[in-house]
Amino acid sequence: MFDQTFVDGTGKTHKSWTVVLSFAGQMLAIGVFVLIPLIYTDVLPKASLTTFLTAPPPPPPPPPPPPPAAPKIVKVAPRQFDAGKLIAPKEIPKNIAVIKEEDLPPPVSGAGGVVGGVPGGVPGGAGGVIGGIIGGIPSAAPPPAVKEAPKPKTPDRIRVGGQVQAANLIKKVTPTYPPLAKQARISGQVRFTAIIGKDGTIQNLQLVSGHPLLVAAARDAVTQWIYKPTLLNNEPVEVITQIDVNFTLSQ
């Protein structure tokens, strides 16, 4: 068999009409399969066809906007007076207010009473004063008390110059010239800052300047000095002053 089909080639066909016939048969079969659904349309589901053929419903319309708020009407009361002048009304008012004043109370009957007197007064009185004293005479208010000015406080300590305070010196002790300083021919001034107590004695003595060989002798002499007490507003006070002690070779 294989020899006849593939080797020798005697079993092959070379007729073209068989090819055309086969092609025509295939096209006929395809056409039948295409026409069957078109002919029998009632077999297709209607629900699916309607969904394809009909358009979707439109969306619901938006809600209407809220109505605008009614404007408030403010009634302006017409002014009757402008800068102290009466203004005539522009329209006649419908209602006119009637102002009725209350009647005054009748006068109190009494012997010798005065119209307009104090209610509940004594008959025959000459007209009292509300809040006053019967038969009393209003007296003037007492004058306000005058406050005395406070006295200035006297300070406990003041500062006085050395030359001024020297005039108040009662007892002055002359310092002894140190022999060693005299042999070395040392002279000069020793200066102290002192506090003179209320009794006139030296309370505190502080060295300001001076030669060391002269300080001890000057200190011993100044501590014995006595001053006249300083008075301020007739009261004794402490005094801060400056004391100078001079040493000369001719002393």
Side-chain angles (χ1 to χ4, degrees):
M1 180 185 294
F2 289 101
D3 292 340
Q4 293 177 359
T5 305
F6 296 101
V7 179
D8 295 339
T10 55
K12 291 182 180 182
T13 176
H14 296 283
K15 296 179 180 180
S16 58
W17 61 272
T18 57
V19 178
V20 174
L21 183 62
S22 176
F23 179 75
Q26 294 177 3
M27 293 301 293
L28 181 61
I30 292 172
V32 171
F33 285 109
V34 172
L35 293 174
I36 288 175
L38 297 177
I39 296 172
Y40 300 98
T41 55
D42 53 349
V43 181
L44 296 176
K46 296 182 180 179
S48 61
L49 292 176
T50 55
T51 55
F52 288 109
L53 296 176
T54 58
K72 294 182 179 180
I73 300 174
V74 180
K75 295 183 179 179
V76 179
R79 294 187 301 174
Q80 296 181 355
F81 293 92
D82 188 6
K85 297 181 179 179
L86 182 63
I87 300 175
K90 296 181 180 180
E91 58 182 6
I92 300 174
K94 297 181 179 180
N95 298 325
I96 299 175
V98 179
I99 301 174
K100 183 179 180 182
E101 297 181 355
E102 297 181 357
D103 297 334
L104 295 176
V108 180
S109 60
V114 180
V115 178
V118 180
V122 179
V129 179
I130 297 177
I133 301 173
I134 299 176
I137 300 174
S139 58
V146 179
K147 295 183 179 179
E148 296 182 359
K151 296 181 179 180
K153 184 179 180 182
T154 303
D156 296 335
R157 185 177 298 175
I158 61 174
R159 182 178 294 273
V160 178
Q163 298 296 332
V164 177
Q165 191 63 22
N168 296 328
L169 185 59
I170 299 175
K171 178 183 177 182
K172 181 179 181 180
V173 177
T174 303
T176 304
Y177 209 115
L180 184 60
K182 197 169 187 179
Q183 293 176 3
R185 303 190 65 81
I186 296 174
S187 63
Q189 186 183 72
V190 180
R191 178 168 291 177
F192 298 99
T193 298
I195 296 177
I196 302 174
K198 297 180 180 180
D199 57 353
T201 58
I202 302 297
Q203 301 291 339
N204 190 4
L205 195 63
Q206 299 292 334
L207 176 65
V208 177
S209 63
H211 197 279
L213 294 178
L214 304 176
V215 171
R219 186 186 296 274
D220 292 340
V222 171
T223 53
Q224 301 178 40
W225 291 5
I226 298 176
Y227 289 83
K228 181 181 178 180
T230 302
L231 300 178
L232 183 64
N233 296 330
N234 296 326
E235 294 182 8
V237 294
E238 295 181 351
V239 177
I240 302 174
T241 187
Q242 178 179 304
I243 299 175
D244 297 332
V245 181
N246 296 319
F247 290 89
T248 58
L249 294 174
S250 60
Q251 184 176 349

